[in-house]
Amino acid sequence: MQNSATMRPTREACAPDLLRELSIEITAKDHDKIELLRDRIPDRTPISITFLPGEDIDSRILAACRVRDAGFIPVPHISARRLHSAGELDAFLAALTDRASVDRVFVVAGDIAEPEGPFRDALSVIRSGVLARHGIEQVGIAGYPEGHPDISGAALERALYDKLEALEAAGQSAWIATQFGFDAEPVLDWLTALRTQTAVPVRIGVAGPASIKALLRFAARCGVGVSAKVMAKYGLSLTQLLGSAGPGPLIEELAERLVPEVHGEVRLHFYPFGGLEKTADWIANFR
């Protein structure tokens, strides 16, 4: 019988796996910056395109086309509550598949309290069948290792498994991308619990290099825990707000502590809060 020390992979074994097949997020407004990602991240890297208020459908489609033309894989987001009609979603998917050869999307409920159209949550979009009708083969859904500020843990867990069940029934493959965080502990605990139910691939969200103020602002908005103990791992304190930080300490801790037999297939998903070019440079240098 192997002991835990024998089973634990070394950092050297895990780090390349974590950084292999990474993904990164952009906004539709970043469409003119796609070229700067060349030679910084690998070809065919999945690039998520957010569904933010103030950006129209045409700009999201343009961004998907630019991602595809640059040799990467476009992964447009669909924000269920921000869709005004089923027809709007149908037209969006038709344009994405026709013009950018999109075959995967990431579906979230959206960050508004009441839906602007017929879709209340990601599950309602998945169950509508419209994704499958447009040839979408892979669908990403959100995971919350540290919970959600407005949703109970039980409701999050139920919603996650309902979505995975609906995607399996539709014959579509799934993956989970998590909120970003600073602490490996809740991520590892969440993965351990998840693997008792499903082997679906997971992308752990990490924040690209950014100012401390920006990171704390996004953390507060997303319900991500930021304790003095966690910040100390970054060589910072909560009173030092003028510096900046990158995800190196978190990635190194994950690389040291992830056990494939326990935590399953894991990759990284980068949120470039400090800017797309800065995050891409950081990835290239860290790799």
Side-chain angles (χ1 to χ4, degrees):
M1 180 176 178
Q2 290 180 304
N3 62 34
S4 59
T6 303
M7 292 178 62
R8 184 182 301 279
T10 64
R11 177 189 168 190
E12 287 75 12
C14 275
D17 284 342
L18 279 177
L19 288 167
R20 191 180 75 241
E21 300 175 11
L22 61 88
S23 59
I24 191 170
E25 193 158 293
I26 67 169
T27 71
K29 293 176 182 176
D30 290 324
H31 67 82
D32 59 345
K33 301 176 183 176
I34 301 301
E35 287 297 323
L36 64 80
L37 296 179
R38 288 180 183 269
D39 302 322
R40 287 179 167 92
I41 62 175
D43 292 343
R44 295 192 57 75
T45 292
I47 297 183
S48 293
I49 304 160
T50 58
F51 199 108
L52 297 178
E55 296 178 346
D56 58 27
I57 294 293
D58 288 341
S59 65
R60 296 172 189 132
I61 295 168
L62 174 61
C65 292
R66 292 281 177 86
V67 168
R68 177 67 73 186
D69 291 344
F72 303 114
I73 299 174
V75 187
H77 285 204
I78 294 173
S79 181
R81 294 178 185 172
R82 293 191 180 277
L83 294 165
H84 297 91
S85 68
E88 180 182 11
L89 175 56
D90 193 67
F92 184 39
L93 289 168
L96 288 172
T97 54
D98 289 346
R99 295 173 54 187
S101 301
V102 166
D103 63 0
R104 64 192 74 179
V105 297
F106 185 78
V107 188
V108 293
D111 56 357
I112 53 176
E114 293 298 324
E116 297 178 348
F119 300 108
R120 175 160 289 277
D121 51 27
L123 184 60
S124 61
V125 171
I126 293 167
R127 284 178 171 168
S128 73
V130 65
L131 303 178
R133 288 199 299 274
H134 283 280
I136 301 301
E137 299 173 356
Q138 301 181 39
V139 180
I141 58 176
Y144 300 92
E146 297 188 52
H148 189 287
D150 301 319
I151 307 173
S152 71
L156 282 176
E157 183 177 0
R158 184 172 62 252
L160 178 70
Y161 293 118
D162 284 348
K163 285 179 279 191
L164 290 176
E165 182 179 329
L167 288 169
E168 183 178 6
Q172 294 165 305
S173 61
W175 81 92
I176 299 170
T178 75
Q179 68 190 151
F180 79 98
F182 301 108
D183 191 0
E185 197 70 40
V187 171
L188 294 168
D189 290 345
W190 178 83
L191 282 169
T192 300
L194 179 77
R195 293 312 182 203
T196 66
Q197 303 294 323
T198 179
V200 65
V202 172
R203 292 188 176 277
I204 299 301
V206 295
S211 72
I212 304 305
K213 284 186 176 181
L215 292 172
L216 292 177
R217 183 173 69 251
F218 282 108
R221 184 183 304 173
C222 300
V224 172
V226 187
S227 67
K229 178 181 177 182
V230 170
M231 294 300 284
K233 293 181 182 180
Y234 284 73
L236 304 163
S237 79
L238 294 176
T239 59
Q240 275 182 308
L241 299 181
L242 298 180
S244 62
L250 173 60
I251 294 173
E252 290 173 6
E253 185 173 0
L254 288 172
E256 290 168 357
R257 298 181 60 187
L258 278 168
V259 179
E261 295 87 349
V262 176
H263 303 115
E265 182 181 342
V266 178
R267 299 290 183 266
L268 298 180
H269 179 71
F270 285 83
Y271 296 94
F273 298 135
L276 188 58
E277 186 171 10
K278 183 184 292 186
T279 297
D281 282 339
W282 189 94
I283 292 169
N285 290 332
F286 193 80
R287 285 169 60 87

